Amino acid sequence: MYKNSVQRFKEIVKILAHYGFGSVVDKKIKRQDESSPKNLRKAFEELGPTFIKIGQILSTRPDILPDPYIDELSKLQNNVPAECFEAINNVFENTFNISIKKAFKSFDEKPLASASIAQVHKATLFSGENVIVKIQRPNIKKQMNMDIEILSKIFSLAKLKLSDFIIDPQEALEELRYSTELELDFTNEVKNMKKFREFNKECNYVYSPNIVENFSSNKVITMEMIDGFNINNFSKLREYNYDREDIGKKLILSFFKQVFEDNFFHADPHPGNLLIYNGKICFIDFGLMGSLSKSLQEALNELIMAIVYEDIHKIISIIMSIGIKTGYVDRNNLYEDIDYILSAYMSTSLKNIKMSDLIQEILKCAKDNNLKFPKDLTMLIRSLVIVEGVAVKISPDINIMSIARPYVKSKNKTSLFSDFNLDNSLIRTRTFIKDTSRMPTKFVELSDSFLNGRAKLQLKIHGLEKSIRSLNRMVNRIVFALIIASMIISSSIILVYNIGPKILNISILGISGYLLAAFMGLWLLISIIRSGKL
């Protein structure tokens, strides 16, 4: 633990400088060399838990970071040196007022895994039940809070430098504060585990560990030990005669159930968090869970239905409704981009379509058209990408689109009339009939306006002001360059005829004109270089 924030600040600066500080603060992150993403990951790993958490948050945001950075930050490892047993025992004893030796029949002092926030030990209760004990590292909260405060000061000092950053640093920092508070309070993970078990208690192919309530708190989680193996352990799958295609299909169906029925999905379903246990897929590590608002969940359901039925107008309407506008959105341009994507994908067989790629293409298309999706949705897309990748590795011939189509259709059949409201339907029908009856009159009025010259056509060109500003800037630079050229020519004439006051028989006016022209020329050159458009 660091004695004060000054020492930690020096270490942060030293490590960032070693790996290239530009990897963190350069707003033109896409222009850096190929080693930048790897250097950023290594720097975060060396800087410890706070920066690992920052990397993990950023790895869930494909909407704000380029793919090479997402891929590298997804590899962030939590493996760090283990705390000594005495330190871990102190945390446990301070929490439950009983030592580990007295609480358990046996306790393995060597951790099974040692992560940045906690470490995991194998133990046995006096009842004979084997359990896993996850204990938070001592002083980890203090260290992470110190790092967050240091980052806050760095962002404040570099406010102007970071004003055009690829992401909003303060927004990212607030997200880090929130997620850190949640993750450091283990009662949240316990609640997630209980909620997940409740949702899946009747699902015969999904499982999650039981919680041992007596030894679970805000700093300790004690849970049932799962004597299984990782879902991508192919030798074990063969040894126990598991059908890999069946497992892959069940994994995808489970994820769809979590998203569309439970609205509570595992946000980090990589192979390390998926075990095979007694013929079931066992989910572990519930520190990061996702959910969508009701409106966003309905919009996502409609979006997948629109993709399945290839309804491009519906797709655009949904994207426009859920997207956050970051600039002017040209609906026609968006239509053409979506139409191109659908034409490329839908012209191939289902076997060749990766649903995660399709949704990511639509996400990128929205971003290119000044639309940003909510972070909850981007988290879901990342989880979908991970699940599909795991399923494809288990069963290479599996296709998530072929599973999604009948699943979504069947779920929508059951809910087709669930939201039907007779009063609303009658009101809409009355409005439609009323508006339809007015159409002939409105058509006559429109025709009359055209014939009498009262009709007006309003033409609005979007983006014209930006073009005019660029044109003004260009004209100003040309005028400035002409003034510099005229000064050079006039100064040359003055020097040739040696007019005016002289020093060492050289005209002061001529030399002054040259110096002023040189200064103005340098000013013009710097402004052009800073604009990034030579």
Side-chain angles (χ1 to χ4, degrees):
M1 186 66 191
Y2 302 96
K3 292 180 181 179
N4 53 58
S5 59
V6 175
Q7 289 180 331
R8 180 59 172 162
F9 180 84
K10 288 179 180 178
E11 186 189 40
I12 290 172
V13 172
K14 181 181 177 182
I15 291 173
L16 290 178
H18 174 71
Y19 286 103
F21 190 65
S23 298
V24 181
V25 299
D26 190 355
K27 66 184 178 183
K28 294 171 182 173
I29 201 165
K30 293 181 182 178
R31 298 186 181 182
Q32 294 183 14
D33 58 65
E34 294 179 359
S35 64
S36 294
K38 186 179 289 186
N39 286 344
L40 185 59
R41 174 180 60 80
K42 288 180 178 178
F44 280 1
E45 283 180 335
E46 195 168 329
L47 284 167
T50 310
F51 289 84
I52 288 174
K53 178 54 60 179
I54 292 173
Q56 289 171 342
I57 290 172
L58 291 176
S59 72
T60 66
R61 302 300 299 273
D63 57 321
I64 58 175
L65 275 184
D67 290 341
Y69 283 85
I70 295 294
D71 293 341
E72 272 303 322
L73 294 178
S74 297
K75 299 175 186 175
L76 276 170
Q77 298 297 314
N78 276 320
N79 294 328
V80 293
E83 294 283 347
C84 65
F85 176 73
E86 288 74 16
I88 291 298
N89 184 61
N90 286 338
V91 174
F92 190 92
E93 192 167 353
N94 290 336
T95 304
F96 299 109
N97 295 319
I98 186 174
S99 68
I100 287 176
K101 296 292 185 181
K102 292 180 180 179
F104 298 96
K105 185 178 180 180
S106 66
F107 188 93
D108 192 346
E109 295 185 9
K110 184 179 179 182
L112 289 174
S114 178
S116 56
I117 290 178
Q119 55 192 54
V120 176
H121 295 260
K122 181 180 176 182
T124 305
L125 298 173
F126 283 104
S127 64
E129 181 185 356
N130 291 325
V131 293
I132 294 295
V133 186
K134 180 179 178 180
I135 304 178
Q136 192 174 115
R137 288 174 175 272
N139 300 317
I140 189 64
K141 186 172 184 177
K142 186 176 179 181
Q143 183 182 335
M144 293 188 76
N145 286 337
M146 180 191 292
D147 284 349
I148 290 171
E149 288 304 317
I150 290 172
L151 285 173
S152 181
K153 288 178 181 177
I154 291 174
F155 291 154
S156 298
L157 292 171
K159 191 173 183 179
L160 293 176
K161 174 75 176 177
L162 300 175
S163 61
D164 201 17
F165 197 44
I166 191 167
I167 59 174
D168 182 350
Q170 290 297 341
E171 181 185 340
L173 197 60
E174 286 306 312
E175 188 173 339
L176 176 64
R177 286 184 198 273
Y178 176 72
S179 63
T180 299
E181 286 296 321
L182 287 179
E183 190 158 347
L184 289 175
D185 186 354
F186 286 179
T187 56
N188 291 304
E189 187 171 348
V190 171
K191 289 176 185 176
N192 290 339
M193 293 176 75
K194 289 178 179 178
K195 191 174 180 180
F196 188 87
R197 279 184 66 84
E198 180 63 25
F199 279 135
N200 292 277
K201 64 182 179 182
E202 295 181 4
C203 187
N204 59 10
Y205 55 85
V206 173
Y207 191 77
S208 62
N210 261 316
I211 295 292
V212 179
E213 299 280 358
N214 294 340
F215 296 122
S216 294
S217 69
N218 63 332
K219 291 186 177 181
V220 180
I221 301 177
T222 305
M223 69 190 86
E224 169 190 4
M225 189 177 82
I226 302 300
D227 188 17
F229 54 89
N230 288 112
I231 197 169
N232 61 346
N233 189 332
F234 302 137
S235 60
K236 288 284 187 182
L237 291 174
R238 281 193 301 270
E239 182 181 342
Y240 293 101
N241 296 318
Y242 280 102
D243 184 344
R244 287 167 60 172
E245 184 177 349
D246 181 60
I247 291 174
K249 185 175 181 180
K250 285 177 178 176
L251 175 62
I252 293 170
L253 287 172
S254 169
F255 187 73
F256 282 159
K257 177 184 178 296
Q258 293 172 38
V259 175
F260 295 110
E261 293 182 43
D262 306 336
N263 191 24
F264 187 69
F265 60 91
H266 200 294
D268 195 21
H270 62 77
N273 288 336
L274 299 170
L275 305 176
I276 300 298
Y277 173 68
N278 289 340
K280 297 182 179 183
I281 300 172
C282 180
F283 288 79
I284 60 173
D285 192 353
F286 294 85
L288 188 61
M289 301 296 290
S291 62
L292 305 175
S293 65
K294 186 172 177 59
S295 60
L296 195 56
Q297 189 183 20
E298 290 174 354
L300 179 64
N301 190 38
E302 290 181 6
L303 178 62
I304 293 179
M305 281 296 294
I307 292 172
V308 168
Y309 288 112
E310 302 177 36
D311 186 347
I312 186 170
H313 293 285
K314 186 71 172 176
I315 293 171
I316 290 171
S317 297
I318 295 168
I319 289 174
M320 292 286 286
S321 67
I322 64 177
I324 302 165
K325 293 182 181 179
T326 57
Y328 170 69
V329 179
D330 188 331
R331 194 180 178 97
N332 292 330
N333 190 56
L334 180 62
Y335 181 96
E336 290 175 4
D337 290 348
I338 296 292
D339 185 43
Y340 175 79
I341 292 171
L342 286 183
S343 299
Y345 276 90
M346 296 308 174
S347 59
T348 61
S349 65
L350 282 177
K351 186 178 180 181
N352 298 321
I353 296 176
K354 288 187 68 177
M355 192 173 186
S356 57
D357 286 349
L358 175 58
I359 293 178
Q360 284 194 101
E361 285 280 355
I362 293 174
L363 180 76
K364 184 178 182 299
C365 172
K367 182 181 177 183
D368 292 341
N369 284 276
N370 298 322
L371 284 170
K372 179 183 175 184
F373 285 164
K375 63 182 180 182
D376 293 336
L377 189 57
T378 57
M379 178 187 286
L380 172 61
I381 292 171
R382 177 184 178 269
S383 301
L384 176 62
V385 171
I386 295 172
V387 165
E388 187 175 31
V390 174
V392 168
K393 283 182 181 178
I394 296 169
S395 177
D397 294 329
I398 201 168
N399 179 260
I400 196 170
M401 197 72 175
S402 62
I403 299 172
R405 177 173 283 189
Y407 181 88
V408 175
K409 283 183 178 179
S410 65
K411 292 301 174 186
N412 276 271
K413 281 179 183 177
T414 58
S415 61
L416 187 60
F417 295 102
S418 60
D419 297 325
F420 180 77
N421 186 294
L422 181 60
D423 291 338
N424 287 340
S425 299
L426 289 173
I427 292 170
R428 288 182 185 134
T429 303
R430 178 184 176 278
T431 304
F432 174 76
I433 294 171
K434 187 177 179 181
D435 291 341
T436 304
S437 66
R438 290 177 179 173
M439 284 184 64
T441 306
K442 293 292 182 183
F443 181 74
V444 171
E445 289 177 0
L446 179 63
S447 302
D448 185 56
S449 297
F450 271 111
L451 290 172
N452 291 294
R454 294 195 305 270
K456 295 180 180 180
L457 181 65
Q458 187 176 6
L459 184 64
K460 188 174 182 180
I461 304 173
H462 292 282
L464 187 61
E465 291 181 2
K466 185 178 179 181
S467 299
I468 291 174
R469 283 198 300 270
S470 298
L471 184 63
N472 284 336
R473 195 180 298 113
M474 180 183 69
V475 171
N476 289 339
R477 285 175 178 172
I478 291 173
V479 171
F480 203 67
L482 288 173
I483 292 173
I484 293 170
S486 63
M487 289 183 67
I488 293 172
I489 293 170
S490 59
S491 297
S492 300
I493 294 172
I494 290 172
L495 284 174
V496 168
Y497 290 99
N498 210 13
I499 300 170
K502 304 178 184 64
I503 295 178
L504 299 176
N505 204 31
I506 299 174
S507 173
I508 297 175
L509 288 176
I511 294 297
S512 300
Y514 272 137
L515 292 174
L516 183 59
F519 174 75
M520 292 172 68
L522 184 62
W523 184 307
L524 178 61
L525 183 62
I526 290 171
S527 69
I528 293 172
I529 292 173
R530 288 183 65 183
S531 70
K533 297 177 181 179
L534 288 172

